[in-house]
Amino acid sequence: MKIDITNVSKRFGAFAALAGVDLEIKSGELVALLGPSGSGKTTLLRIIAGLEWPDEGRVLFDGDDALARSVGERHVGFVFQHYALFRHMSVFENVAFGLRVRRPRRQRLLEPEIRARVNKLLELVQLGWLADRYPTQLSGGQRQRVALARALAIEPRVLLLDEPFGALDAKVRKELRRWLRQLHDEIHVTSVFVTHDQEEALEVADRVVVMDKGRIEQIGTPTEVYENPATAFVHEFIGESIVIPVTVDNGAVQFHGNRIDIDTQGVTCGPARLFVRPYEMSIASAESAPFQGTVKRVHGIGPARRVELALNVDGHVVEVDAPRVQDLTVGQAVGLSPTRYRLFAGEA
Amino acid sequence: MSVAAGTLATRTPSSSQDSRRRIVAEPAPVRWLIVGVALLFLTVFLVVPLVAVFYQAFSRGVWPYLGALTHPDAVAAIKLTLMVAAISVSLNLVFGLIAAWAIAKFEFRGKSVLITLIDLPFSISPVISGLVFVLLFGAQGFFGGYLQEHDVRIIFALPGIVLATVLVTFPFVARELIPLMQQQGTQEEEAAISLGASGLQTFFRVTLPNVKWALLYGVLLCNARAMGEFGAVSVVSGHIRGETNTMPLHIEILYNEYQFMASFAVASLLALLALVTLIAKVVLEKYVGAE
């Protein structure tokens, strides 16, 4: 199912949770809403579900006005961050719940059909052997899969997941997100999940929606948002960045009054920030490079070493990945030259 | 010095767990003193009176005891008490559940005022709780004239007794449920609604089962208080023998008439109710904890 969100805004008192959000989710897509806490991502998810209503804007499901329908009428599968399993029901009854309360009554399945459907779902989430257990007897990962099976039982038009792996430990989280991706490839239900974990979003999602302060900063594939960040926020939020404050004057980039050989990338006069990935900053001889600095510390294992450098002029410390073969000693004066970079207007 | 000696004396090198326990504990004489004071207090104020009630009740044997309980006035008092408790506990079960549901699951203006109001019956004297109904519905009261014209009897009749009991016992169910419901939050309800359940289905299939033990516990306390209420009921009842006397009022009348044995016989029933409530409370608390 296709979802169109147009100009959606929501305020909680004086706090603007969402400020004019536009988003189009294609049928069968797996989309991640990524952002720091307070960015409005959960509010947006709850508005799509019908658990929250926007102050203005439109939400369309396949062209139909979803805001005219209550959450129960929208046929959405919602998976809560803390699972929200029914604590007094067995795993089986939790999954069967949506089938047992279906209205009107004559649309309700017969008991054998319900049993068959629930057992099939429990097999899908690999929990058939736990059908008679109660939620308190399950591990976090198992609870989350029960919650997912329960949401899928009503054959939702869209699956919405709120921080689905947030409460799990690192190892289970990795397993479960790979499993979720596989599951999505099997059942192809349009899915939206909220996360503050960039690794999770980049690994699982078809497209990532990066949000900050109630606005969408960028929408794109994991590669796009990582390789071509649209804003300074996205560059800083996703992946590691070296950030160097500079100024643009007369069509040239200046670092503490010295003109340096960096393209303005369309930024006009005023303060700006230079963003470089740690592995796209090369350490060279001091004379020709745009920046000069001193090596403070060299550490790390693996193909690259992490080098801490203090820039001359202002002592600003940056961390650069240098190839293992490069010979660097503490106290050595070096030049820094970005091989690939982005310049964004504005101060930090 | 003696305290220090006591500590050393109790430090026997038995097991490591044992000695660890000793380290955090008070010296032995202090422990005995504390436990002794607590036991003495319980004995004097709880066990002795309870034993005395049963001793007096059976002082002339079993048959006079049963005779006192089957006296028509006693039977009438027991029936009235059961009726009043049945009505007021059912009403408070519904009111308490609705109030707790509203407070725990919704945000609205005046919520803190409502919470304070629920506790009000705990802080006002039961005599006042009875008196307000006399002032409202009594012959000289606010609605007294109107009620007399239409031949409706509230004061000195069953409705008055029920009203007074409802007021006094209102907090029990709500107080038991509010903290639990608040702690459980609204996520399970949201989940139920997102799965297509109606408001009523959500309430009966999710909210209610989640608090059933706490609800039963609240009902039990409410019932114990409803059956035992004296002050408020005394004001509105009129003490008409065989008609508006509840058990506590009947006990007082018998006592004032120097029928000690009969008085204690009826009292033993209330004491028994208290014991049953206590045992049920211990059992239920386990389940409430599990919720």
Side-chain angles (χ1 to χ4, degrees):
Chain A
M1 187 193 64
K2 184 172 175 287
I3 303 172
D4 289 291
I5 294 157
T6 327
N7 193 30
V8 161
S9 296
K10 172 80 180 173
R11 301 186 73 85
F12 294 109
F15 175 71
L18 289 175
V21 166
D22 294 298
L23 177 62
E24 188 191 316
I25 296 164
K26 296 183 207 111
S27 191
E29 203 177 21
L30 177 53
V31 170
L33 303 179
L34 174 66
S37 57
S39 60
K41 55 193 192 303
T42 297
T43 306
L44 181 58
L45 191 79
R46 289 173 65 87
I47 285 173
I48 298 172
L51 293 168
E52 229 49 271
W53 250 258
D55 298 333
E56 54 185 305
R58 301 210 303 162
V59 179
L60 303 180
F61 284 7
D62 276 340
D64 287 339
D65 183 13
L67 297 179
R69 294 166 187 268
S70 72
V71 51
E73 294 162 345
R74 286 190 202 182
H75 281 283
V76 295
F78 200 97
V79 177
F80 293 82
Q81 184 181 2
H82 298 291
Y83 325 122
L85 295 178
F86 305 126
R87 65 193 85 196
H88 65 281
M89 292 182 204
S90 65
V91 166
F92 184 95
E93 286 305 319
N94 262 283
V95 178
F97 185 88
L99 304 173
R100 294 204 191 285
V101 298
R102 185 181 284 179
R103 287 167 297 151
R105 207 170 243 285
R106 60 192 148 74
Q107 281 186 14
R108 225 172 271 174
L109 298 174
L110 298 170
E111 185 62 24
E113 294 172 305
I114 292 179
R115 290 200 129 354
R117 169 92 66 90
V118 172
N119 286 329
K120 206 175 137 203
L121 280 162
L122 287 176
E123 289 309 318
L124 184 71
V125 298
Q126 299 152 14
L127 287 176
W129 55 293
L130 289 176
D132 297 328
R133 298 277 187 91
Y134 283 82
T136 48
Q137 300 168 307
L138 305 181
S139 72
Q142 290 168 339
R143 285 182 207 184
Q144 191 59 283
R145 283 186 281 158
V146 174
L148 199 60
R150 181 179 69 177
L152 290 173
I154 58 168
E155 293 179 325
R157 303 162 73 194
V158 55
L159 188 60
L160 305 169
L161 307 103
D162 185 10
E163 297 269 3
F165 316 117
L168 302 169
D169 60 67
K171 188 169 170 287
V172 180
R173 197 183 326 190
K174 275 202 155 163
E175 281 171 20
L176 213 56
R177 72 188 187 215
R178 236 160 256 163
W179 175 81
L180 177 72
R181 180 67 235 187
Q182 282 171 7
L183 184 77
H184 183 265
D185 292 341
E186 267 176 57
I187 60 178
H188 288 299
V189 60
T190 309
S191 306
V192 183
F193 76 100
V194 157
T195 181
H196 63 268
D197 181 347
Q198 41 158 309
E199 209 185 310
E200 196 169 288
L202 299 184
E203 183 184 321
V204 177
D206 295 323
R207 283 199 304 156
V208 178
V209 178
V210 187
M211 298 184 66
D212 184 43
K213 300 195 181 90
R215 291 178 191 282
I216 291 179
E217 295 275 323
Q218 188 174 3
I219 305 172
T221 64
T223 318
E224 278 166 12
V225 295
Y226 182 72
E227 297 290 342
N228 296 308
T231 65
F233 173 82
V234 177
H235 205 301
E236 213 167 5
F237 189 71
I238 295 176
E240 276 190 288
S241 301
I242 297 168
V243 189
I244 301 172
V246 293
T247 44
V248 180
D249 201 11
N250 290 329
V253 178
Q254 300 195 338
F255 180 61
H256 289 281
N258 300 319
R259 194 176 161 150
I260 52 174
D261 184 19
I262 294 281
D263 181 31
T264 58
Q265 295 182 348
V267 176
T268 50
C269 280
R273 284 186 296 160
L274 181 71
F275 285 80
V276 189
R277 298 289 182 204
Y279 54 84
E280 290 176 338
M281 183 76 103
S282 70
I283 300 176
S285 62
E287 296 81 43
S288 59
F291 304 100
Q292 280 79 40
T294 314
V295 177
K296 288 283 170 197
R297 213 160 92 85
V298 184
H299 61 92
I301 49 170
R305 281 185 305 179
R306 185 48 66 98
V307 184
E308 282 174 31
L309 297 131
L311 294 186
N312 294 351
V313 187
D314 64 355
H316 188 83
V317 174
V318 295
E319 292 192 13
V320 177
D321 285 338
R324 183 151 285 278
V325 290
Q326 194 164 14
D327 202 23
L328 292 166
T329 49
V330 173
Q332 187 182 345
V334 293
L336 288 171
S337 147
T339 52
R340 193 160 170 271
Y341 54 86
R342 287 296 306 271
L343 197 68
F344 292 105
E347 282 173 282
Chain B
M1 227 12 242
S2 65
V3 172
T7 323
L8 288 173
T10 54
R11 260 188 208 160
T12 45
S14 49
S15 72
S16 68
Q17 201 192 353
D18 210 36
S19 60
R20 212 179 302 137
R21 195 167 63 227
R22 292 276 156 75
I23 290 165
V24 293
E26 296 294 326
V30 177
R31 270 186 285 149
W32 293 332
L33 190 69
I34 293 168
V35 174
V37 167
L39 282 180
L40 187 73
F41 189 86
L42 279 176
T43 314
V44 171
F45 285 95
L46 292 171
V47 180
V48 170
L50 202 58
V51 171
V53 167
F54 284 96
Y55 177 78
Q56 290 281 349
F58 287 99
S59 59
R60 280 187 244 154
V62 175
W63 293 114
Y65 173 79
L66 292 177
L69 291 187
T70 49
H71 186 278
D73 286 352
V75 171
I78 294 169
K79 274 187 182 166
L80 180 66
T81 299
L82 290 177
M83 175 116 87
V84 169
I87 299 172
S88 46
V89 170
S90 324
L91 287 175
N92 274 341
L93 182 132
V94 176
F95 295 156
L97 202 53
I98 292 171
W101 162 267
I103 285 168
K105 309 281 179 178
F106 301 100
E107 290 302 322
F108 55 91
R109 244 171 233 262
K111 190 159 141 172
S112 55
V113 177
L114 186 58
I115 295 174
T116 314
L117 280 179
I118 286 175
D119 280 349
L120 198 62
F122 275 150
S123 54
I124 51 173
S125 162
V127 179
I128 309 298
S129 306
L131 216 53
V132 287
F133 291 111
V134 175
L135 292 175
L136 282 177
F137 304 119
Q140 319 301 324
F142 221 71
F143 302 109
Y146 176 86
L147 292 172
Q148 251 169 0
E149 274 171 38
H150 294 79
D151 205 24
V152 178
R153 295 195 53 145
I154 291 182
I155 299 306
F156 306 147
L158 181 67
I161 300 175
V162 169
L163 281 174
T165 310
V166 166
L167 175 60
V168 172
T169 60
F170 180 73
F172 288 94
V173 174
R175 280 289 293 248
E176 207 52 54
L177 292 180
I178 289 168
L180 182 67
M181 282 179 147
Q182 277 179 331
Q183 180 221 322
Q184 290 182 345
T186 53
Q187 282 224 322
E188 285 183 48
E189 279 82 7
E190 284 186 348
I193 288 171
S194 81
L195 290 165
S198 66
L200 277 180
Q201 282 174 326
T202 303
F203 181 77
F204 283 108
R205 284 168 181 262
V206 176
T207 310
L208 199 55
N210 274 350
V211 297
K212 60 177 182 291
W213 296 116
L215 181 65
L216 192 57
Y217 184 28
V219 162
L220 204 74
L221 290 181
C222 181
N223 179 60
R225 182 65 196 267
M227 287 189 174
E229 176 55 27
F230 179 84
V233 171
S234 175
V235 176
V236 294
S237 123
H239 305 265
I240 308 164
R241 249 181 238 229
E243 276 184 44
T244 64
N245 261 352
T246 60
M247 281 164 75
L249 302 183
H250 187 62
I251 293 166
E252 196 215 13
I253 287 174
L254 289 174
Y255 187 84
N256 287 344
E257 289 173 351
Y258 303 104
Q259 302 186 46
F260 296 127
M261 195 281 296
S263 151
F264 279 107
V266 182
S268 72
L269 285 185
L270 282 181
L272 210 60
L273 170 76
L275 285 177
V276 170
T277 307
L278 193 73
I279 293 166
K281 172 181 139 80
V282 170
V283 175
L284 276 179
E285 266 175 353
K286 210 173 72 188
Y287 291 105
V288 173
E291 268 177 7

